[in-house]
Amino acid sequence: EPEVTQTPSHQVTQMGQEVILRCVPISNHLYFYWYRQILGQKVEFLVSFYNNEISEKSEIFDDQFSVERPDGSNFTLKIRSTKLEDSAMYFCASRRSGVSYNEQFFGPGTRLTVL
Amino acid sequence: GDSVTQMEGPVTLSEEAFLTINCTYTATGYPSLFWYVQYPGEGLQLLLKATKADDKGSNKGFEATYRKETTSFHLEKGSVQVSDSAVYFCALSIKETSGSRLTFGEGTQLTVNP
């Protein structure tokens, strides 16, 4: 069964450093998402991406964040200058196009630790 | 804005007990409703969904009915197992929004003891 994959599973970085989190969505999916979950808190939407552009973003997704689909398979989240409060689990998700296909499939997540 | 409220946890039950996790929502449009489950150390998995009023989603013995009149989508299971121990998230998405983002509840930690 196809699945969303994410790398790395755990990333440790120093405050102020740039990090890139990688995701490979399911191959015939056209909508891509990033969510984050700070430890012990709810899962929060960051951004959605369709047709090579951002379709929606939350107030969390400020200028420090960017997303890219550099090739036909990868979908990345970049944090330019990490802060302590960026420490969280980051989940990538994807879904098919069309209003009937509203189920999002999630990857296993990348745990980001900012020291 | 859109929001989802889940019953406060954690919930601890004995094996074969009846489970109910309450979920209510507010939405600006007509939402689809979901229950996701997160097993320890894993990502989110879709457990069940319902896309219109009075629909019942079901999977692995879990059920939830979309109640528009009470804006609720309560999760139930008649007889829980130890393997059901996980965090359960209620969520909604609005089809009319361009990205159909998911809005999640706080999550409910379920522990089932043998």
Side-chain angles (χ1 to χ4, degrees):
Chain A
E1 186 175 325
E3 58 184 20
V4 177
T5 60
Q6 290 185 242
T7 55
S9 57
H10 191 191
Q11 173 93 46
V12 181
T13 190
Q14 296 290 325
M15 190 169 55
Q17 295 296 304
E18 174 184 286
V19 294
I20 297 176
L21 310 183
R22 291 182 168 79
C23 168
V24 178
I26 295 173
S27 62
N28 63 345
H29 287 188
L30 297 180
Y31 282 89
F32 314 116
Y33 304 83
W34 284 102
Y35 294 84
R36 78 171 185 192
Q37 184 182 30
I38 295 171
L39 187 63
Q41 298 185 24
K42 68 167 68 176
V43 178
E44 301 173 290
F45 168 77
L46 292 177
V47 65
S48 60
F49 192 87
Y50 172 73
N51 200 25
N52 279 322
E53 62 183 24
I54 291 172
S55 52
E56 191 181 8
K57 61 183 180 180
S58 73
E59 52 281 355
I60 301 169
F61 193 88
D62 61 22
D63 292 344
Q64 291 299 310
F65 292 89
S66 62
V67 289
E68 191 178 31
R69 189 153 163 82
D71 54 43
S73 60
N74 289 284
F75 179 51
T76 62
L77 174 70
K78 183 193 290 187
I79 309 175
R80 269 180 258 286
S81 177
T82 51
K83 302 188 274 288
L84 294 176
E85 54 265 38
D86 293 327
S87 294
M89 182 74 90
Y90 288 81
F91 292 106
C92 174
S94 68
R95 73 171 178 89
R96 294 175 66 177
S97 179
V99 294
S100 300
Y101 302 103
N102 55 6
E103 175 184 341
Q104 294 182 26
F105 293 81
F106 282 77
T110 293
R111 180 169 298 285
L112 176 65
T113 301
V114 182
L115 302 176
Chain B
D2 304 328
S3 67
V4 176
T5 302
Q6 286 181 236
M7 66 184 289
E8 292 187 15
V11 174
T12 301
L13 296 172
S14 298
E15 207 164 23
E16 299 183 2
F18 184 84
L19 168 71
T20 300
I21 301 177
N22 289 337
C23 170
T24 57
Y25 67 88
T26 59
T28 51
Y30 199 119
S32 294
L33 303 173
F34 305 86
W35 278 99
Y36 279 85
V37 58
Q38 185 178 31
Y39 297 103
E42 298 185 16
L44 296 160
Q45 300 176 26
L46 180 68
L47 181 60
L48 53 84
K49 67 176 184 179
T51 56
K52 62 183 188 297
D54 300 324
D55 270 1
K56 178 186 281 189
S58 61
N59 186 25
K60 299 181 182 179
F62 291 89
E63 293 184 341
T65 301
Y66 189 143
R67 300 284 188 205
K68 193 162 184 275
E69 64 277 11
T70 55
T71 61
S72 65
F73 192 55
H74 305 321
L75 182 68
E76 296 181 337
K77 187 174 185 182
S79 176
V80 294
Q81 306 300 311
V82 172
S83 56
D84 294 327
S85 297
V87 181
Y88 292 81
F89 292 93
C90 186
L92 67 82
S93 72
I94 306 294
K95 290 191 282 289
E96 292 79 14
T97 61
S98 59
S100 293
R101 64 156 80 176
L102 283 166
T103 299
F104 286 89
E106 300 87 346
T108 300
Q109 172 79 54
L110 170 66
T111 301
V112 180
N113 295 318

